[in-house]
Amino acid sequence: MIHPEMRIQPDGASMPPAARRKTSVTLDAAALDAAHDLGINVSAIADAALRKAVTEARRARWLDENADAFARQAEWHDRNGHPLADILATPGKAAWNV
């Protein structure tokens, strides 16, 4: 049996609840009032938006930090073709053959 405070992940795994920390944010008063009237959980929305923003920022940073490696790989492919070009089954297969 799973502990009631455990969260089930999309892959079926479970993990303990995330550590929570109180914070203070300044929000548009009308939007906050409307959210309250509609029963919207502002904390849950803010948490989801923050997680998404962090994920996107990490992805952007990783892409930026690895841009040179991607460029070198693309140059190598331009010179040598894709090493698996003979078995690729994609619409762009012909483009990988040199």
Side-chain angles (χ1 to χ4, degrees):
M1 178 175 178
I2 296 174
H3 189 276
E5 292 184 11
M6 297 292 272
R7 294 184 183 162
I8 303 299
Q9 301 304 302
D11 63 0
S14 60
M15 60 184 266
R20 312 278 300 166
R21 181 184 307 157
K22 281 190 171 206
T23 191
S24 176
V25 295
T26 303
L27 302 171
D28 177 79
L32 188 58
D33 291 342
H36 178 72
D37 291 344
L38 294 167
I40 295 173
N41 183 335
V42 175
S43 291
I45 297 295
D47 187 63
L50 180 60
R51 289 175 187 271
K52 181 179 178 184
V54 167
T55 298
E56 290 171 358
R58 284 180 176 159
R59 179 180 186 277
R61 178 188 288 172
W62 185 86
L63 288 170
D64 185 56
E65 290 173 348
N66 291 283
D68 289 340
F70 296 139
R72 287 192 307 274
Q73 181 183 28
E75 290 168 4
W76 188 93
H77 281 254
D78 288 344
R79 285 190 315 274
N80 302 296
H82 194 287
L84 301 177
D86 293 339
I87 62 171
L88 288 175
T90 64
K93 177 182 175 182
W96 288 109
N97 293 320
V98 175

